[in-house]
């Protein structure tokens, strides 16, 4: 099913959505602190008088979610003159009577752009006083509104899930990063630069701050606008993917670490999260990989001496879109985390994650028989990470995991995916490192009506890193 200009298609709209998220990532490097990586951020005395939380405004949040849909629909209908936006009573009756189906939009639109669209609903609620849990329902309402009433195409199962669940993850990350950009005590050029950057990162919040006058009003900063620690790292170098004919290209990677669940409390969802995004020159798309792992709640199991063990709940967003393979979806799961503090600040970390995959898309040779180019389905995933280094610099890291997916739409069958990455990142001088990594991706697809397909795709990278 074709979606709105905000969610894009195969052409310009999808690229604009990706560019929008890129804008939401890059500014976060502008205000990283120069303290040691394991030092908490300083808090000013003014923060002791931080303002109370914004009161929850249910009516305004719902009105803004609806206004977002009306604005996007109006742009599609009257500016772009899109046929799918020609809706009325007949289209609404058909949508309500027929119900939800599976659409055939391309992978990047469904798995990346739709979650970004959902993040706008989420941030409308967040900016009107709701926390993570309260904003979930507004994201669902916005997605249902669009699917049923903004298009003359039948509403889509995958759009509803990706826009809603993916919107939760992207939305909270965008909200947290935009909070870091803001400083309501700043004035002049610095204040303007911070407000503009936060507005580009989070357009819904930026619009509301201008309307309310918050963009220029002097006030204390809420304490939760800054994490106890924040770090960013960038890698750039050469990437080889052996996908039949080798694909040689350059890549750049940005990795953000917000908070640290193994050292600081997780009092609210996404008090600690990791965000990674990769850009490549040879894929024909702006972003080839993106992932989010946010802590929802943590339970300490052991906290004595040099060791700490935590059991937690996590939300995951995964997106891999290369010429060699496609794999991405929304997951919720549990994780067991371990940290051993060694001499001189070095540490050994271990994480085990078991995830329930709500919905994922995956490359499939026979999905075209069902009118699409990848399979859709839920599943289970298990992964583990082992690393050694000085936070956030991981000198040596091993990641491995297995994902099982059952096809609900596409070529009937099951997919079993094994992934593993070994990374070495050696300090050269100051905050610069030299590294290499090797990744192996193996997909075994067992189809009911077709032959089994097994594919192994190795990847090798060499890079410089900046921490």
């Amino acid at each position: 099913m074709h979606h709105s200009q905000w969610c894009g298609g195969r052409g310009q709209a999808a690229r604009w959505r990706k560019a929008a998220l890129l804008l939401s990532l890059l500014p976060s490097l502008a205000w990283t602190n120069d303290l040691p990586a394991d030092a908490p951020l300083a808090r000013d005395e003014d923060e002791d008088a931080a303002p109370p939380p914004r009161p929850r405004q249910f009516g305004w949040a719902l009105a803004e979610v609806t206004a977002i849909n009306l604005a996007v629909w109006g742009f599609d209908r009257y500016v772009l003159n899109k046929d799918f936006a020609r809706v009325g009573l007949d289209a609404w009756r058909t949508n309500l009577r027929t119900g939800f189906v599976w659409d055939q939009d391309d992978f990047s639109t469904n798995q990346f752009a739709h979650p970004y669209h959902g993040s706008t609903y989420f941030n409308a609620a967040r900016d009107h006083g709701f926390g993570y849990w309260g904003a979930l329902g507004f994201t669902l309402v916005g997605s249902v509104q669009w699917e049923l009433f903004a298009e003359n195409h039948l509403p889509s199962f995958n759009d509803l899930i990706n826009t809603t669940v993916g919107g939760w993850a992207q939305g909270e990350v965008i909200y947290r990063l935009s909070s870091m950009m803001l400083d309501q005590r700043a004035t002049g050029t610095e204040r303007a630069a911070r407000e503009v950057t936060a507005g580009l990162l989070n357009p819904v919040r930026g619009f509301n701050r201008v309307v309310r006058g918050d963009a220029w009003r002097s006030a204390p900063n809420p304490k939760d606008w800054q994490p106890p620690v924040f770090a960013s790292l960038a890698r750039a170098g050469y990437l080889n993917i052996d996908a039949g004919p080798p694909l040689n290209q350059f890549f750049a990677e940005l990795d953000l670490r917000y908070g640290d669940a193994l050292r600081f409390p997780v009092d609210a969802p996404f008090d600690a999260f990791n965000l990674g995004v990769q850009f490549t020159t040879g894929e024909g798309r702006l972003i080839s990989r993106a992932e989010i792992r946010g802590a929802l709640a943590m339970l300490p199991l052991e906290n004595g001496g040099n060791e700490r063990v935590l059991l937690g709940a996590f939300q995951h967003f995964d997106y891999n879109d290369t010429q060699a393979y496609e794999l991405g979806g929304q997951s919720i799961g549990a994780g067991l985390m371990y940290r051993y503090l060694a001499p001189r600040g070095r540490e050994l970390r271990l994480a085990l994650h078991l995830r329930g995959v709500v919905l994922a898309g995956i490359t499939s040779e026979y999905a075209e028989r069902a009118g699409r180019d990848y399979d859709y389905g839920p599943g289970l995933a298990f992964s583990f990470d082992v690393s050694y280094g000085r936070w956030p610099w991981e000198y040596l890291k091993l990641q491995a995991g297995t994902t099982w997916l059952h096809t609900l739409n596409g070529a009937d069958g099951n997919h079993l995916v094994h992934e593993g990455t070994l990374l070495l990142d050696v300090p050269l001088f100051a905050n610069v490192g030299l590294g290499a990594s090797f990744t192996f991706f193996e997909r075994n697809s067992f189809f009911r009506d077709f032959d089994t397909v097994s594919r192994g795709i190795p990847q090798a990278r060499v890079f410089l890193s900046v921490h």
Side-chain angles (χ1 to χ4, degrees):
M1 180 185 66
H2 192 83
H3 212 293
S4 74
Q5 176 71 9
W6 280 55
C7 290
R10 287 185 175 273
Q12 184 179 10
R15 289 191 292 271
W16 275 112
R17 301 285 60 77
K18 297 175 183 179
L21 187 60
L22 173 60
L23 287 173
S24 77
L25 300 177
L26 295 181
S28 58
L29 292 176
W31 283 283
T32 57
N33 61 57
D34 295 326
L35 296 173
D38 57 352
L41 295 179
R43 298 193 182 278
D44 293 332
E45 295 180 0
D46 289 349
E47 292 190 345
D48 293 335
R54 185 180 299 279
R56 296 178 182 178
Q57 299 172 306
F58 180 90
W60 280 110
L62 182 59
E64 186 160 44
V65 166
T66 305
I68 290 169
N69 281 332
L70 287 172
V72 177
W73 169 80
F75 184 79
D76 288 336
R77 172 65 180 85
Y78 296 106
V79 177
L80 300 181
N81 197 29
K82 294 291 186 179
D83 181 69
F84 70 82
R86 298 177 182 275
V87 296
L89 291 177
D90 289 340
W92 296 341
R93 278 194 293 263
T94 299
N95 288 345
L96 290 168
R97 182 174 61 249
T98 305
F100 286 77
V101 299
W102 299 91
D103 76 18
Q104 300 173 9
D105 284 352
D106 67 274
F107 186 84
S108 62
T109 296
N110 279 337
Q111 302 306 113
F112 191 92
H114 282 324
Y116 179 77
H117 193 176
S119 75
T120 64
Y121 306 140
F122 184 93
N123 275 294
R126 285 293 268 130
D127 192 60
H128 285 291
F130 289 88
Y132 172 89
W133 298 113
L136 303 188
F138 290 94
T139 314
L140 174 61
V141 168
S143 183
V144 170
Q145 282 182 348
W146 183 271
E147 293 300 314
L148 293 177
F149 303 113
E151 294 182 343
N152 56 29
H153 293 232
L154 292 176
S156 164
F157 286 117
N158 49 273
D159 285 355
L160 182 67
I161 295 171
N162 288 323
T163 303
T164 301
V165 183
W168 300 343
Q170 286 197 19
E172 185 65 19
V173 166
I174 290 172
Y175 186 84
R176 295 276 185 154
L177 294 179
S178 67
S179 294
M180 288 185 63
M181 299 301 101
L182 295 171
D183 184 353
Q184 298 184 132
R185 300 157 303 174
T187 59
T189 303
E190 180 189 350
R191 178 65 179 268
R194 287 180 174 273
E195 293 288 343
V196 169
T197 303
L200 291 173
L201 192 156
N202 191 339
V204 171
R205 189 182 194 183
F207 173 82
N208 289 343
R209 287 184 62 80
V210 171
V211 170
R212 290 192 300 260
D214 292 343
W216 48 83
R217 182 181 297 116
S218 179
N221 293 318
K223 291 184 178 182
D224 61 359
W225 277 13
Q226 296 293 333
V229 289
F230 178 81
S232 62
L233 71 90
R235 299 187 180 103
Y238 167 83
L239 167 64
N240 171 269
I241 301 179
D242 188 0
L247 178 60
N248 300 302
Q249 57 188 314
F250 294 101
F251 80 94
E253 181 179 63
L254 179 65
D255 193 357
L256 305 182
R257 311 288 175 85
Y258 180 103
D260 183 8
L262 281 165
R263 287 187 293 150
F264 300 97
V266 175
D267 298 320
F270 283 72
D271 274 355
F273 67 81
N274 291 353
L275 168 65
V277 60
Q278 178 177 276
F279 313 92
T280 48
T281 60
E283 298 291 350
R285 54 188 60 84
L286 180 63
I287 296 175
S288 59
R289 182 187 65 82
E291 59 184 33
I292 295 170
R293 185 172 71 194
L296 300 177
M298 303 299 296
L299 174 66
L301 300 181
E302 175 67 30
N303 188 19
N306 294 333
E307 295 184 293
R308 191 171 192 197
V309 182
L310 300 175
L311 178 64
F314 293 84
Q315 180 176 3
H316 302 256
F317 168 84
D318 297 286
Y319 173 81
N320 295 275
D321 187 8
T322 72
Q323 295 183 29
Y325 67 92
E326 298 170 329
L327 176 62
Q330 324 299 332
S331 307
I332 304 291
L336 184 66
M337 305 178 70
Y338 170 83
R339 175 189 183 228
Y340 174 77
L341 184 61
R344 295 186 300 173
R346 306 297 195 267
E347 58 183 34
L348 174 69
R349 293 194 176 205
L350 170 67
L352 305 175
H353 289 274
L354 179 63
R355 296 178 283 144
V357 181
V358 181
L359 183 68
I362 185 170
T363 300
S364 173
E365 288 77 8
Y366 303 109
E368 61 185 13
R369 308 294 180 92
R372 55 184 316 111
D373 59 6
Y374 54 95
D375 288 342
Y376 254 138
L380 293 172
F382 172 79
S383 63
F384 71 89
D385 306 347
V386 181
S387 66
Y388 175 78
R390 181 184 178 90
W391 191 94
W393 197 329
E394 298 163 325
Y395 305 146
L396 182 64
K397 185 172 185 177
L398 173 65
Q399 294 178 293
T402 295
T403 302
W404 167 80
L405 298 174
H406 174 68
T407 301
L408 292 182
N409 183 247
D412 289 346
N414 296 278
H415 298 272
L416 189 63
V417 174
H418 305 291
E419 298 177 88
T421 297
L422 180 63
L423 179 144
L424 179 67
D425 190 356
V426 180
L428 285 182
F429 57 88
N431 295 325
V432 178
L434 175 65
S437 68
F438 178 79
T439 298
F440 189 74
F441 176 93
E442 181 183 64
R443 173 174 59 89
N444 299 289
S445 299
F446 307 93
F447 299 105
R448 189 183 68 177
D449 300 319
F450 309 103
D451 293 338
T452 297
V453 174
S454 296
R455 289 201 67 194
I457 303 171
Q459 302 180 44
R461 302 190 304 171
V462 291
F463 54 83
L464 288 175
S465 61
V466 179
H467 299 257

